Amino acid sequence: MGKGMPYSDVEKGPERGQEKRRHRSRPPPPQICPPPEKPWFPWLVPVIFSANLIMFIITMYINDCPSQENHPRCVLPFLKRFSFQPFKENILLGPSALTLQKLGALERNLVVDDGEGWRLLSCMWLHAGVVHLVVNMLSLLFIGIRLEQEFGFIRIGPLYVLSGLAGSLASTNHGKESSVSVGASGALFGLLGAMLSELFTNWTIYTKKCIALLILVSVIAVNLALGFIPKVDSSAHVGGFLAGFFFGFVLLVRPQFGYVSRKYIPSSYNGKLKSRHKWYQYVLGITATIILVLGYTYAFGKLYGVPPMKNLP
């Protein structure tokens, strides 16, 4: 007995068998392998760090504790004009409140009555003492460098400044009229808030989502709780955090998982392509923009007082 055709091909016919073999020999679709994204070089955050450090040195030089009229018992007098105010006046190892006020500390009366609105930004670069400076700068390096490496100075710079402005507005509107406020805490809490919203809006690209969310929420909760310690300006922390949270939906949006730019797609590729962003990223971005515009408008209007509308004839 001679060998016949395989049973499967006999049953389906010779044409079916040939079509099956052609299908098996068809080459797979081309693989799309875009180059990995290169991290940004973080130079802006070190510049901000240096600016804060230089401003503190200048502040202590101008303060010149030993030369003050009341001749206070300066802390660490061997530092001469760089020595610190007595602990009963400043427990954070820093200058006097009068010196901070001269250099641009935030005070409602000066901002509203004297028209010194520049203090809303200048106060971000001043610190009440060494302890205040060290805590803020460590937070800046820990949070800011990572964000700048991922998103670049073009996004992190405006995020930092606008969050600090929001913190200043919140502090001025809800703090005491005669209180003096300084520090970069509002801007730093803005970076924390942006990290949280960035996790939400870029949810598809993260693998260990719940762990990342739990760690981030824990860090934010601890920092916000520290803001309610007496003599700490919690309003600036909350205002900066909220502004940074909404700015994150606008400035820190990334393409969804699986998106490939068209310049990396071969012309022979016929597969289905993913859109750059998810629909909810657009919704969150537009909503956050509206909230930010309304929030800043309300804060400035409350600070400077919006005159009531006159009755039309």
Side-chain angles (χ1 to χ4, degrees), residues 36-222:
E37 185 177 353
K38 295 182 180 180
W40 290 75
F41 177 75
W43 64 267
L44 180 61
V45 170
V47 167
I48 296 175
F49 172 87
S50 302
N52 281 274
L53 181 60
I54 293 172
M55 280 303 306
F56 184 73
I57 295 175
I58 294 175
T59 302
M60 295 308 303
Y61 179 84
I62 295 176
N63 184 68
D64 194 7
C65 179
S67 67
Q68 295 177 8
E69 294 181 358
N70 53 357
H71 300 289
R73 294 183 177 180
C74 304
V75 179
L76 303 180
F78 64 88
L79 295 176
K80 297 182 179 180
R81 69 181 304 144
F82 291 98
S83 58
F84 309 114
Q85 296 296 122
F87 283 119
K88 63 180 181 180
E89 184 177 347
N90 189 339
I91 198 175
L92 299 177
L93 295 175
S96 65
L98 181 60
T99 300
L100 292 173
Q101 185 186 70
K102 290 179 180 179
L103 293 176
L106 186 63
E107 186 174 346
R108 179 182 175 87
N109 293 333
L110 296 177
V111 173
V112 178
D113 299 335
D114 296 346
E116 298 179 359
W118 52 272
R119 291 179 179 271
L120 294 170
L121 295 176
S122 63
C123 66
M124 297 167 47
W125 309 96
L126 301 173
H127 286 83
V130 174
V131 177
H132 191 201
L133 177 69
V134 170
V135 171
N136 277 354
M137 292 303 100
L138 288 178
S139 301
L140 173 66
L141 294 176
F142 179 74
I143 301 170
I145 288 183
R146 178 253 175 185
L147 285 175
E148 188 177 0
Q149 286 178 331
E150 291 192 12
F151 299 99
F153 69 95
I154 298 177
R155 301 184 185 185
I156 300 305
L159 172 62
Y160 182 87
V161 174
L162 292 174
S163 297
L165 175 61
S168 297
L169 289 170
S171 175
T172 309
N173 281 318
H174 298 283
K176 297 179 180 179
E177 292 189 0
S178 59
S179 63
V180 175
S181 178
V182 293
S185 300
L188 296 175
F189 271 88
L191 297 182
L192 278 175
M195 289 179 66
L196 181 61
S197 58
E198 186 268 332
L199 177 62
F200 288 148
T201 192
N202 301 323
W203 189 258
T204 59
I205 67 175
Y206 287 95
T207 53
K208 299 179 180 180
K209 301 177 176 63
C210 295
I211 296 178
L213 180 61
L214 180 62
I215 294 175
L216 186 56
V217 169
S218 301
V219 172
I220 293 172
V222 171

